């Protein structure tokens, strides 16, 4: 049968023109990281990045130059794209690139009277050359009338005065960072406070709003309100922040001077997800369920910032950075193992092509992920302890006990697990799972139940079989924070569309443009801003 090879030129993760596949691009990146850092905390080199028990044949399919598709499949793909893509993608948040939707990557210099305020220009501001702005709140709106401060013993602070708003993202702090607002007025005593951003309405869009995301505040002493070095280190890095110059006295206003020093600030963006640091930080939270470690954050940020202003390069590296989180050892051994445990235990959900719901995934993920940072000392033992604890917990849940009564024989127990997983095991795999019960005639032994389930969940055939299916499902869980059949979809058409497309490209998420589509979707971007 003839085949049609799509081999369009693309920028690799190093920013060079190439015909490399997603796997080859990632391999180059990860090797370069190992040379520069020795290791990095989430990812190892690609041969270890994807679990070793995934079939070599499947890996060879991925490690290719272009997507080779049988001619008949190619024609089917064309029909699929022609018939379904337009309608589906329109319904699924209009998957488009930022420049195709005319997103403003860098916001225009705004008025500081209302949210989102005036963006502070990106750059480094040492003590010898601080950021300085002069303003006067006289006649300004009262954007925020009160805020809840969860770093201040959970106080609710009234702010009835007119205010000014400044927006910025901290990239780094020097040894003595400081934010200072001073006034020469004898009647105006500024109150300054910081709100955490990164989500819609983080800074109230209208006047007289209430903010539940206050981080800290400082009152005026001797005509100066200061967030000192100690307090500055409690502010999160790579997260949008809003500084408000306000007053606790109604209608109290006046002139002031704002000074920020010993800080590095990101270039302003309209949507937080366009900031490299926030983008990477959010991926750690969405896919690994934790805050980033310093080495991993620095590496993946640098992959993007090394592009400078080259938007094509930035797009390529954001896509590859994003896809790497699913492929990481950390996710494969935690989130993907959780997926496979549900698959082996229960099969797919009724009338659904997936085995697990979002609330189930989030509810159990922490049990496997807590304390695991790959390549930090002792991480393998932490992971092993988590796996054992999780599986022992899992086989004692009411749902599992109902599906697998202890009166079942070991053979019945194991056969049902493999059947639910959709796998016909080789005899040695089946025998090893049954042998976990030794010579018992029933399956009452909790430890044996957990070990047998683990053998099935970690079975190489099941791991390879479910890989693409889990990859697509995690696009919905990670990026959109919803089930595939939740609104606005209402069914699994979108999930099936992306699974078919990923399969057509033999698992190449770059060629299938799957990650690219989710990253640029309106639904994803609106999680973080306009």
């Amino acid at each position: 049968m003839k085949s049609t090879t799509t081999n369009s030129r693309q920028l690799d993760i190093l920013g060079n023109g190439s015909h490399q596949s997603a796997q080859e691009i990632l391999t180059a990146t990860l090797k370069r990281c190992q040379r520069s850092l020795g290791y990095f905390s989430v990812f190892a080199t690609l041969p270890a990045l994807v679990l070793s028990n995934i079939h070599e044949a499947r890996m060879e399919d991925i490690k290719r130059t272009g997507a080779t598709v049988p001619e008949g499949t190619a024609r089917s793909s064309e029909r699929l794209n022609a018939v379904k893509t337009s309608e589906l993608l329109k319904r699924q948040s209009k998957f488009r690139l930022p420049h195709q939707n005319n997103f403003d990557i860098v916001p225009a210099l705004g008025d500081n009277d209302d949210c989102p305020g005036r963006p502070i220009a990106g750059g480094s501001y040492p003590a010898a050359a601080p950021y300085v702005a002069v303003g006067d709140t006289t006649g300004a709106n009262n954007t925020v009338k009160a805020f809840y401060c969860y770093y201040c013993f959970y106080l609710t602070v009234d702010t009835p005065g007119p205010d000014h708003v400044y927006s910025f993202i901290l990239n780094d702090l020097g040894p003595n960072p400081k934010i200072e607002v001073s006034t020469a007025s004898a009647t105006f005593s500024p109150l300054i406070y910081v709100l955490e951003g990164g989500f819609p309405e983080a800074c109230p869009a209208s006047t007289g709003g209430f903010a539940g995301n206050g981080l800290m505040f400082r009152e005026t002493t001797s005509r100066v309100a200061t967030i000192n070095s100690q307090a500055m280190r409690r502010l999160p890095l790579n997260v949008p922040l809003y500084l408000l110059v306000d007053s606790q006295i109604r209608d109290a206003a006046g002139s002031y001077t704002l000074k920020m020093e010993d800080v590095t600030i990101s270039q302003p963006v309209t949507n937080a997800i366009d900031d490299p640091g926030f983008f990477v930080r959010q991926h750690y939270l969405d896919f690994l369920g934790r805050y980033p470690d310093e080495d991993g954050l620095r590496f993946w940020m640098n992959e993007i910032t090394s592009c400078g202003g080259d938007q094509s390069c930035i797009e390529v590296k954001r896509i590859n950075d994003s896809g790497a989180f699913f492929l990481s050892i950390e996710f494969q051994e935690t989130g993907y193992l959780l997926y496979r445990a549900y698959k082996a235990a229960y099969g797919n959900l009724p009338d659904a092509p997936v085995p697990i719901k979002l609330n189930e995934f989030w509810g159990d993920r922490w049990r496997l992920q807590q304390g695991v940072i790959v390549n930090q000392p002792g991480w393998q033992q932490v992971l092993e302890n988590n796996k054992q604890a999780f599986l022992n917990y899992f086989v004692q849940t009411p749902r599992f006990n109902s599906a697998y009564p202890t009166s079942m024989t070991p053979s019945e127990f194991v056969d049902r697990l493999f059947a639910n997983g959709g796998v016909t095991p080789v005899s040695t795999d089946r025998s090893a799972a049954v042998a976990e019960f030794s010579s018992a005639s029933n399956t009452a032994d909790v430890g044996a139940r957990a070990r047998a389930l683990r053998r099935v969940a970690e079975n190489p055939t099941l791991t390879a079989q479910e890989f693409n299916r889990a990859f697509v499902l995690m696009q919905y869980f990670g990026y959109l924070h919803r089930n595939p059949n939740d609104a606005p979809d209402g069914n699994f058409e979108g999930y099936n569309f992306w699974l078919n497309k990923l399969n057509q490209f033999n698992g190449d998420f770059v060629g299938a443009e799957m990650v690219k589509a989710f990253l640029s979707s309106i639904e994803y971007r609106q999680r973080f801003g306009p």
Side-chain angles (χ1 to χ4, degrees):
M1 181 181 293
K2 293 182 179 179
S3 64
T4 302
T5 302
T6 60
N7 199 15
S8 59
R9 188 177 187 274
Q10 62 183 27
L11 287 176
D12 66 17
I13 201 163
L14 305 178
N16 303 312
S18 76
H19 296 295
Q20 291 178 300
S21 70
Q23 298 293 99
E24 292 167 329
I25 290 170
L26 285 168
T27 301
T29 303
L30 301 177
K31 286 181 178 178
R32 183 154 58 87
C33 176
Q34 282 197 316
R35 288 196 298 269
S36 62
L37 293 177
Y39 75 91
F40 56 103
S41 60
V42 182
F43 309 104
T45 53
L46 195 63
L49 184 71
V50 179
L51 293 178
S52 58
N53 59 8
I54 294 177
H55 290 294
E56 290 183 10
R58 186 185 180 284
M59 296 303 298
E60 288 303 315
D61 283 341
I62 296 175
K63 293 177 181 177
R64 58 189 168 72
T65 301
T68 302
V69 185
E71 190 174 77
T73 304
R75 286 196 295 268
S76 297
S77 175
E78 290 173 3
R79 289 195 297 271
L80 178 68
N81 290 336
V83 174
K84 297 185 67 177
T85 303
S86 177
E87 178 183 350
L88 177 67
L89 297 190
K90 182 178 181 181
R91 185 172 70 254
Q92 284 195 285
S93 309
K94 300 178 182 177
F95 290 117
R96 293 178 183 272
L97 295 178
H99 69 273
Q100 292 173 323
N101 278 328
N102 297 317
F103 291 126
D104 294 324
I105 301 300
V106 179
L109 186 62
D111 190 348
N112 58 1
D113 193 12
D114 298 302
C115 285
R118 175 168 293 173
I120 295 176
S124 294
Y125 296 99
Y131 172 83
V132 177
V134 176
D136 192 325
T137 58
T138 302
N141 293 325
N142 178 24
T143 307
V144 176
K145 67 178 181 180
F147 68 92
Y148 179 75
C149 185
Y150 52 88
Y151 281 0
C152 320
F153 304 102
Y154 307 104
L155 293 175
T156 296
V157 182
D158 293 326
T159 55
D163 50 43
H164 277 177
V165 186
Y166 295 86
S167 60
F168 61 100
I169 297 177
L170 286 174
N171 259 166
D172 201 4
L173 300 175
N176 296 295
K178 180 172 64 173
I179 297 176
E180 179 182 279
V181 173
S182 59
T183 181
S185 172
T187 58
F188 176 47
S189 297
L191 171 76
I192 62 174
Y193 52 96
V194 178
L195 305 179
E196 182 174 356
F199 57 93
E201 301 300 321
C203 190
S206 58
T207 59
F210 177 84
N213 50 318
L215 294 175
M216 63 182 59
F217 72 96
R218 292 295 184 270
E219 297 176 287
T220 298
T221 302
S222 301
R223 299 184 182 179
V224 179
T226 304
I227 300 177
N228 61 22
S229 176
Q230 182 179 5
M232 288 289 291
R233 297 190 187 284
R234 297 174 67 184
L235 294 175
L237 299 181
N238 306 301
V239 174
L241 300 173
Y242 301 95
L243 173 70
L244 283 88
V245 181
D246 208 322
S247 171
Q248 285 189 288
I249 302 173
R250 187 177 301 278
D251 298 328
S255 61
Y256 64 87
T257 299
L258 165 64
K259 183 168 69 173
M260 300 178 65
E261 62 182 57
D262 221 6
V263 297
T264 301
I265 293 176
S266 295
Q267 293 298 327
V269 291
T270 298
N271 190 307
I273 202 61
D274 293 322
D275 176 76
F278 183 79
F279 177 83
V280 173
R281 181 182 186 270
Q282 195 61 47
H283 274 67
Y284 276 89
L285 294 171
D286 286 343
F287 290 93
L288 303 184
R290 66 173 176 88
Y291 291 104
D293 55 284
E294 186 176 344
D295 287 342
L297 176 67
R298 185 186 304 114
F299 173 79
W300 292 113
M301 280 181 61
N302 184 66
E303 283 300 302
I304 300 171
T305 58
S306 63
C307 290
D310 185 340
Q311 292 302 311
S312 296
C313 173
I314 290 171
E315 178 188 319
V316 168
K317 294 195 176 186
R318 280 167 57 96
I319 291 168
N320 283 285
D321 280 16
S322 188
F325 277 80
F326 174 82
L327 298 174
S328 69
I329 292 175
E330 189 167 332
F331 184 84
Q332 292 291 309
E333 294 279 12
T334 57
Y336 186 34
L337 175 60
L338 173 61
Y339 170 102
R340 300 194 310 273
Y342 269 83
K343 176 69 176 181
Y346 309 121
N348 285 342
L349 295 164
D351 301 317
V354 298
I356 187 170
K357 295 180 180 178
L358 178 63
N359 65 321
E360 295 168 332
F361 185 81
W362 280 356
D364 285 338
R365 180 177 63 174
W366 67 272
R367 299 177 188 275
L368 286 162
Q369 291 179 327
Q370 59 181 337
V372 177
I373 302 179
V374 171
N375 281 326
Q376 287 199 353
W379 72 270
Q380 295 99 328
Q381 189 59 55
V382 174
L383 176 62
E384 178 60 25
N385 293 342
N386 288 356
K387 286 183 178 182
Q388 292 182 23
F390 164 70
L391 289 165
N392 276 300
Y393 153 79
F394 188 83
V395 299
Q396 295 182 76
T397 59
R399 181 182 178 188
F400 191 88
N401 284 331
S402 176
Y404 297 85
T406 57
S407 59
M408 296 178 73
T409 67
S411 292
E412 290 171 338
F413 183 90
V414 169
D415 288 343
R416 183 172 295 180
L417 290 174
F418 275 115
N420 284 337
V423 171
T424 301
V426 297
S427 60
T428 53
D429 289 344
R430 180 183 182 277
S431 297
V434 172
E436 294 293 352
F437 293 94
S438 189
S439 58
S441 60
N442 60 37
T443 50
D445 184 339
V446 170
R449 288 161 75 88
R451 292 190 299 273
L453 173 59
R454 180 173 178 177
R455 284 188 177 275
V456 178
E458 293 183 339
N459 179 270
T461 302
L462 179 64
T463 300
Q465 169 189 288
E466 297 298 315
F467 191 84
N468 284 354
R469 299 169 188 172
F471 201 168
V472 176
L473 183 60
M474 294 309 135
Q475 306 296 289
Y476 288 90
F477 285 4
Y479 298 122
L480 306 186
H481 284 193
R482 67 173 174 87
N483 296 299
N485 62 327
D486 288 344
D489 291 78
N491 54 50
F492 285 96
E493 286 185 17
Y495 171 88
N496 291 329
F497 170 83
W498 288 114
L499 179 59
N500 289 338
K501 196 163 188 182
L502 188 62
N503 286 338
Q504 289 164 11
F505 283 85
N506 297 320
D508 181 351
F509 66 86
V510 175
E513 297 189 329
M514 180 179 71
V515 171
K516 172 181 175 180
F518 278 86
L519 283 178
S520 56
S521 71
I522 292 175
E523 185 174 352
Y524 177 63
R525 292 180 61 83
Q526 286 183 341
R527 280 181 54 196
F528 313 106

